[in-house]
Amino acid sequence: MHVSVKIPTRKEIEHLGVYVPGKPIEEVKREFGLTDIAKLASNENPYGCSELATRAVIREMDNSALYPEGTAPELAAKLSVHLGIERERIMVGNGSDELIRLLTRSYISAGDEAIMGVATFSRYETNVRIEGGVPVTVPMIDGVHDLAGMLQAVGTNTKMIFVCNPNNPTGTIVGRSELLSFIEEVPPHILLVIDEAYFEYVSDTDYLQTIPLLASHPNLVILRTFSKIHGLAALRVGYGIMHPSVVQELMKVKEPFNSNRLAQAAAIASLDDAPFAQDCARRNAEARRGLQHELARMGLSCFPSHTNFLMVKLGRAGDDVFQALLAQGVIVRSGSSLGYPDTIRVSIGTEQENRAFIAALQRIINDGDEARG
Ligand SMILES: Cc1ncc(COP(=O)(O)O)c(C=O)c1O
């Protein structure tokens, strides 16, 4: 037994919980003595990554003894051409998780307020709290950000606003014209962070293209990632697009070598493989339609998803269904840890994984029906 350390932490982190990720495959295998596991818990890409990225990583291993370039200049230059924006607007991070951290580290002081939806990606709230800031949460309406409500929540202490579009965990998007007026109305002294981690999956024409607005709105920050459609979650690489002066502030607080060589090489190569990403988006949309159809057949509905995951409304405790699925080798996320206790969030997997999920869920529903007689 270790004696606990009596040195107090900063008071801001005293009551913070540790982030609970989707359960790892290895852990579920050990716990339940299973060999076949479908992990549909972390919105990863079931089709892996581009072959070009794999080859780039292998090649880059020759340089593994050397520190990476701290500002990822080649990747930033490539992104700048790819997106048609100035290179100075791009900040590469160790996942977009790090960019969220850098934003709160740089801009949130004790007592500053940050507005966010509830429920949305939990890292916004955690990082605001770490800095001693105050998260101001505005309930979603049917799983969609209530932008009017968020605007009403703006006060004299508001420093930052987070809009996750599409939103994790509900998968919904906010309407184009609604978001546009919101961006116009947010006062320019408030940093407006729009997290577009899943934008590549969106095909709806009612989705606002935010990049053209950067020039006229210096308070706008767009976050993106290579973890989803590019299938590089393990390598940790994301990027932010923002005013060059904001990039300069984030540069001050980042680790010197925050983005590693393998990640940079893989991300650069991924940008050369548009067909891979397009194929993933197409397969994802098809599989999502199939899953929604199967769920509807079972009498279950979902929030309208524009992403690679579905939040399924169960009408019963998500925890119970999560546990019962786990015992059958299917890992999802219980909605109870995501702000919607009567749901589960399931990532869209391969055909085989989706079939395993549907079959396991059907068995759980049948067992429930039998138990009720
Ligand atoms: C909305 C959202 N933002 C950011 C992230 C973090 O992604 P990254 O792997 O780039 O850190 C995630 C990951 O699931 C996410 O869902």
Side-chain angles (χ1 to χ4, degrees):
M1 212 16 210
H2 296 290
V3 178
S4 70
V5 177
K6 291 282 189 281
I7 306 165
T9 58
R10 288 170 54 230
K11 69 174 180 356
E12 288 82 1
I13 68 163
E14 213 176 332
H15 299 293
L16 275 186
V18 175
Y19 180 74
V20 184
K23 260 186 184 283
I25 292 176
E26 295 78 3
E27 191 181 316
V28 177
K29 280 187 178 171
R30 273 195 306 273
E31 228 172 87
F32 293 90
L34 296 168
T35 47
D36 285 341
I37 305 289
K39 182 176 182 242
L40 302 173
S42 303
N43 308 336
E44 293 147 331
N45 189 336
Y47 313 115
C49 68
S50 158
E51 271 288 311
L52 301 185
T54 308
R55 277 187 248 139
V57 167
I58 294 168
R59 269 198 310 276
E60 193 58 33
M61 276 304 288
D62 286 346
N63 293 322
S64 68
L66 304 173
Y67 284 109
E69 285 195 271
T71 56
E74 264 189 64
L75 174 55
K78 185 115 189 172
L79 279 166
S80 124
V81 174
H82 194 73
L83 303 169
I85 45 162
E86 302 92 326
R87 188 245 164 281
E88 294 70 29
R89 288 188 179 275
I90 296 168
M91 171 87 192
V92 174
N94 188 29
S96 49
D97 271 342
E98 190 202 16
L99 295 164
I100 299 168
R101 166 69 54 89
L102 295 180
L103 284 164
T104 53
R105 190 81 270 235
S106 306
Y107 287 96
I108 297 289
S109 302
D112 284 345
E113 291 180 356
I115 300 171
M116 62 198 73
V118 61
T120 189
F121 190 49
S122 64
R123 302 308 295 165
Y124 312 145
E125 174 171 350
T126 305
N127 281 297
V128 168
R129 285 197 192 283
I130 289 171
E131 303 304 335
V134 182
V136 175
T137 53
V138 177
M140 300 268 164
I141 299 176
D142 292 334
V144 182
H145 279 89
D146 173 12
L147 295 183
M150 292 174 84
L151 215 47
Q152 272 170 16
V154 170
T156 47
N157 293 331
T158 308
K159 197 68 183 282
M160 201 175 281
I161 301 180
F162 290 96
V163 177
C164 188
N165 195 36
N167 185 48
N168 178 8
T170 53
T172 57
I173 57 169
V174 283
R176 195 179 171 283
S177 61
E178 205 188 345
L179 182 56
L180 189 57
S181 351
F182 181 75
I183 294 171
E184 299 293 347
E185 285 176 62
V186 168
H189 65 277
I190 296 173
L191 215 54
L192 173 54
V193 182
I194 304 190
D195 186 341
E196 298 182 342
Y198 300 93
F199 85 98
E200 293 101 334
Y201 291 105
V202 182
S203 56
D204 198 313
T205 50
D206 197 29
Y207 185 69
L208 181 68
Q209 301 303 321
T210 45
I211 288 181
L213 301 168
L214 283 162
S216 49
H217 296 81
N219 62 332
L220 188 58
V221 175
I222 302 165
L223 299 183
R224 292 180 172 183
T225 181
F226 284 90
S227 297
K228 306 300 174 185
I229 208 142
H230 294 292
L232 299 178
L235 294 182
R236 314 304 303 124
V237 55
Y239 60 99
I241 317 162
M242 61 202 87
H243 194 274
S245 62
V246 179
V247 171
Q248 285 316 308
E249 296 307 320
L250 304 195
M251 287 287 180
K252 289 183 196 166
V253 299
K254 83 174 188 71
E255 301 291 336
F257 306 109
N258 59 329
S259 150
N260 71 72
R261 275 187 177 274
L262 306 185
Q264 292 182 32
I268 290 168
S270 292
L271 291 174
D272 283 332
D273 198 349
F276 172 80
Q278 284 157 5
D279 193 47
C280 289
R282 185 188 54 74
R283 291 167 81 177
N284 177 74
E286 206 175 291
R288 191 175 63 206
R289 270 194 301 277
L291 269 181
Q292 276 167 323
H293 178 77
E294 289 296 318
L295 290 164
R297 196 179 47 73
M298 292 185 223
L300 299 173
S301 65
C302 307
F303 288 111
S305 171
H306 297 260
T307 61
N308 63 342
F309 58 86
L310 286 169
M311 188 158 236
V312 188
K313 301 175 190 173
L314 299 163
R316 61 191 279 199
D319 275 349
D320 296 347
V321 175
F322 162 76
Q323 282 299 340
L325 284 169
L326 212 53
Q328 297 186 58
V330 180
I331 316 173
V332 298
R333 287 292 296 268
S334 167
S336 72
S337 58
L338 301 171
Y340 289 89
D342 290 349
T343 67
I344 48 168
R345 194 196 65 193
V346 58
S347 307
I348 316 290
T350 59
E351 231 175 90
Q352 192 184 352
E353 288 168 330
N354 297 336
R355 265 202 306 272
F357 163 67
I358 289 295
L361 189 60
Q362 184 71 70
R363 278 191 290 272
I364 294 163
I365 289 176
N366 293 349
D367 288 352
D369 289 346
E370 266 172 41
R372 276 190 296 278

